[in-house]
Amino acid sequence: MNAALFFGGAPEASASAPGRVNLLGEHTDHNDGYMLPVATPQRTEVALSLSHDGHFHFYSATLDSHVTFAHDSSAPPGFGSYIEGCIRLVQARGVAVPPLRVFCQTNLAVGSGLSSSAALEIATLRALRNLLGFDFDDVLLAQIAQRAEIEFAHVNCGIMDQMASSLADPDTMLFIDARTLEHRLVPLPAGTTLIVIDTGVARKLAASKYNERRSECQEAARLLGVKALRDVTDMAAVEALPEPMRRRARHVVSDDLRVLEAIEGIDGARFGELMNLCHYSLRDDYEVSIPELDALAQALRDQEGVLGARMTGAGFGGACVALCRTEYAEQAAAAALARYDSRAGNGPRGRLLIPVPHEGKENDESI
Ligand code: GLA
């Protein structure tokens, strides 16, 4: 069903928001640290109109799934939880939100670790802001979206994905300080382009391992006597921690330092090196990589023009990102994908996400 059919005409308000690809600073947000994502060119679109039957009606064209519930009850688990969470949290801030018809669709790869959930939340909040005229700023939208994800979708996330979806763009990095929410745009190294390829591996263990790592980081901070790992200055004390806290903390502290170095305006070669180091640290110290992510990152690194590559997002599946000299990007992406797909057996196959494949652009349907 398209939007015109769902609304029986034009919607009263609409908005869109991107996903994110993180370049440096992974698993640092829940340690009050620093990160450096960009937005995806792919976006999620949400359109709204008032509902006149006392019920909320949500329709995802991407999933071809319809959810209906009375205004005083709640959405069943699934994509509706993200939308309902945003609505309820806006209501909790004193905005009267009437029953609505909500239509959403995305050209983001769902489940590739590019934060399609944050994109849905931010697009929903922007559409609500357009419809109802409240004046919440983009940082507050990110904070509400994060609460929606935690309280309604029961995902214990940090703030990076929602900040990136709300404030980043695809061509410039967004520096974020998770403690203060200070943020600013930082240019990509001159003459470089990003490549993003999905491993095709669904992120099964991600949620349970994410929470386990969070607890280990909290324990490391407690043992070090700091509020969060962002406050660590004494690396010798980190090295003296019991395992696995030593390695978890070493990843977080070193990745914060990589972000702080990267925003000083380093060249592409050094930036690429930092991305490689970030991957090795996530693989060996934080232990959230899997063989497919390692193989894909290496396939990318082996291509001419690629300056560095790493897994991006929470891990245990999802995508890799590489920084590439612009003139090599197209051929490097194709060759890395072919190399990854040529591994023995019937393993998962890769999928090029950025640069956006030509067919993807042609198939885009706007609301
Ligand atoms: C997920 C979470 C983010 C962040 C990343 C890891 O995407 O939603 O808050 O913690 O993992 O950097």
Side-chain angles (χ1 to χ4, degrees):
M1 190 181 354
N2 63 21
L5 212 58
F6 178 74
F7 291 110
E12 288 166 49
S14 63
S16 70
R20 65 98 187 92
V21 181
N22 192 22
L23 302 188
L24 287 173
E26 207 68 87
H27 291 281
T28 49
D29 61 354
H30 53 81
N31 292 293
D32 275 5
Y34 311 107
M35 59 232 74
L36 209 47
V38 295
T40 59
Q42 295 92 345
R43 300 178 76 86
T44 296
E45 300 180 56
V46 169
L48 311 168
S49 280
L50 300 183
S51 159
H52 300 291
D53 64 1
H55 284 64
F56 283 99
H57 300 270
F58 302 163
Y59 179 70
S60 163
T62 308
L63 305 173
D64 189 21
S65 173
H66 199 137
V67 164
T68 296
F69 58 101
H71 71 93
D72 52 357
S73 72
S74 24
F79 79 97
S81 311
Y82 299 93
I83 301 174
E84 191 206 351
C86 293
I87 291 172
R88 298 299 182 208
L89 291 168
V90 165
Q91 286 174 327
R93 289 182 168 267
V95 178
V97 184
L100 296 168
R101 295 179 68 77
V102 182
F103 177 97
C104 60
Q105 68 181 4
T106 190
N107 59 0
L108 256 167
V110 177
S112 298
L114 302 191
S115 292
S116 55
S117 60
L120 177 57
E121 291 148 8
I122 296 295
T124 299
L125 288 165
R126 285 179 174 166
L128 286 169
R129 185 169 63 181
N130 290 345
L131 181 75
L132 303 169
F134 52 82
D135 61 358
F136 300 170
D137 68 20
D138 292 339
V139 171
L140 182 53
L141 287 200
Q143 291 173 298
I144 296 172
Q146 182 200 15
R147 294 315 313 166
E149 181 121 5
I150 295 171
E151 291 171 24
F152 288 79
H154 309 294
V155 178
N156 196 18
C157 62
I159 189 92
M160 169 173 70
D161 306 344
Q162 292 77 12
M163 282 289 284
S165 180
S166 190
L167 290 140
D169 71 58
D171 303 315
T172 324
M173 303 181 288
L174 181 75
F175 168 72
I176 306 168
D177 176 333
R179 174 171 286 166
T180 62
L181 298 188
E182 181 210 332
H183 55 93
R184 71 187 137 91
L185 293 170
V186 180
L188 276 168
T192 64
T193 296
L194 298 174
I195 300 171
V196 178
I197 301 178
D198 181 20
T199 56
V201 180
R203 296 168 307 133
K204 281 192 219 85
L205 282 170
S208 64
K209 290 292 180 190
Y210 186 87
N211 290 332
E212 189 181 296
R213 297 289 181 276
R214 272 188 87 136
S215 312
E216 291 162 351
C217 289
Q218 277 160 9
E219 177 61 4
R222 194 188 66 78
L223 291 170
L224 292 167
V226 291
K227 182 163 179 272
L229 290 180
R230 122 79 164 276
D231 300 307
V232 170
T233 47
D234 180 359
M235 276 316 278
V238 169
E239 290 298 338
L241 285 170
E243 293 293 7
M245 274 62 80
R246 180 181 75 95
R247 281 175 301 134
R248 307 300 186 241
R250 198 163 61 174
H251 164 70
V252 172
V253 174
S254 67
D255 226 21
D256 273 343
L257 291 175
R258 282 186 277 275
V259 173
L260 294 178
E261 180 181 341
I263 60 173
E264 291 306 318
I266 56 177
D267 64 15
R270 177 64 185 155
F271 198 102
E273 247 169 64
L274 293 178
M275 289 173 76
N276 290 340
L277 292 171
C278 175
H279 183 89
Y280 304 142
S281 175
L282 287 162
R283 183 191 64 192
D284 302 334
D285 279 350
Y286 211 70
E287 294 182 293
V288 291
S289 190
I290 55 169
E292 288 83 354
L293 285 166
D294 296 339
L296 180 55
Q298 192 55 49
L300 282 157
R301 274 179 218 124
D302 289 344
Q303 305 311 317
E304 190 172 9
V306 170
L307 300 164
R310 54 166 294 236
M311 52 159 279
T312 183
F316 296 102
C320 284
V321 58
L323 186 74
C324 189
R325 295 199 191 285
T326 302
E327 62 275 26
Y328 292 96
E330 213 162 303
Q331 79 196 47
L337 191 57
R339 162 86 71 85
Y340 176 74
D341 282 350
S342 71
R343 291 164 322 134
N346 295 320
R349 296 180 65 82
R351 179 173 165 202
L352 179 64
L353 302 177
I354 298 174
V356 180
H358 199 56
E359 314 84 75
K361 281 180 192 157
E362 281 172 357
N363 288 343
D364 272 6
E365 245 187 60
S366 289
I367 287 174

